[in-house]
C-alpha cells in the first residue's frame, strides 16, 4: 500500500491553474457567472465574449447533450422543448445557460474554438439565427421605470418580447403588459412564431 501511495503525484504537479487564478487577479466573487451582467454587457470578458467563454469552459457530458438537444430542437422541432437543470449550488446551471446563450451568438466561430470543435467534429452543425431572451428574476426591479433598448415594459413578458424583437415584438403583448397581466397562450404562440426560433 505504501508503494502505491508514493507513486501518485500531488495534483499541483499534474495540473496548473489558469494564470488569472494563479496570479491572484480574481476576487472570489468574480468566479460567479451572472446572466444579468452578460445581458447588460458588464460581465468579465471570460463570461461576456462567446469565443473566450468556450475557450475557458470545460464542456461536460451533460452540457454537451444539452447543447446538442437545443440545436436539434431549433432546427428540427424535435427534442425537448423544456429542459430542467437540476444541480446543487455551484453545480454549473449558470454556466450551462451561458453556454446556450453563447452558442447561438452570431459572432461565435465554432471552427476557431478547440472545445467546440471537439463537440462538433464534423463541422456540419447548422446553428440557426435565434432570438434570445434572458430573464433573471433577481435582477429585475419590481418598481420604477423598466426599459430595454428604448422599449418601456412592466412585466416579465414585456421584457421577454422587447429582447426577442424590440418594439415590434412588444406591440404583440403591449395591452397585457400595460394591464400587468399575463398574455394568453395564443398571443405567445403568435409572438414566438413571428420572431422564432427563440
Amino acid at each position: 500500500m505504501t508503494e502505491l501511495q508514493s507513486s501518485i503525484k500531488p495534483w499541483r504537479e499534474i495540473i496548473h491553474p489558469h494564470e488569472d487564478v494563479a496570479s491572484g487577479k480574481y476576487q472570489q466573487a468574480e468566479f460567479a457567472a451572472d446572466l444579468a451582467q452578460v445581458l447588460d454587457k458588464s460581465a468579465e470578458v471570460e463570461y461576456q465574449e462567446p469565443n473566450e467563454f468556450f475557450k475557458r469552459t470545460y464542456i461536460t457530458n451533460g452540457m454537451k447533450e444539452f447543447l446538442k438537444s437545443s440545436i436539434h430542437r431549433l432546427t428540427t422541432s424535435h427534442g425537448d422543448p423544456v429542459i430542467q437543470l437540476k444541480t446543487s449550488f455551484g453545480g454549473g446551471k449558470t454556466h450551462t445557460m451561458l453556454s446556450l446563450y453563447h452558442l447561438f451568438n452570431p459572432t461565435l466561430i465554432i471552427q476557431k474554438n478547440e472545445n467546440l470543435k471537439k463537440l462538433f467534429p464534423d463541422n456540419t452543425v447548422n446553428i440557426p439565427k435565434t432570438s434570445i431572451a434572458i430573464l433573471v428574476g433577481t435582477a429585475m426591479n419590481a418598481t420604477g421605470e423598466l426599459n430595454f433598448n428604448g422599449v418601456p415594459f412592466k412585466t416579465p413578458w414585456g421584457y421577454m418580447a422587447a429582447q426577442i424583437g424590440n418594439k415590434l415584438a412588444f406591440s404583440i403583448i403591449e395591452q397585457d403588459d400595460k394591464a400587468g397581466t399575463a398574455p394568453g397562450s395564443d398571443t405567445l404562440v403568435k409572438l414566438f412564431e413571428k420572431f422564432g426560433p427563440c
Side-chain angles (χ1 to χ4, degrees), residues 85-101:
L85 300 177
K86 295 190 290 187
T87 64
S88 59
F89 181 76
K93 292 181 294 295
T94 302
H95 256 79
T96 301
M97 289 185 282
L98 274 175
S99 71
L100 184 65
Y101 174 76

Side-chain angles (χ1 to χ4, degrees), residues 159-180:
Y159 190 27
M160 176 185 66
Q163 287 183 58
I164 67 172
N166 291 314
K167 291 179 182 177
L168 191 57
F170 180 77
S171 69
I172 295 173
I173 63 159
E174 186 170 5
Q175 293 306 107
D176 284 302
D177 188 78
K178 283 182 179 176

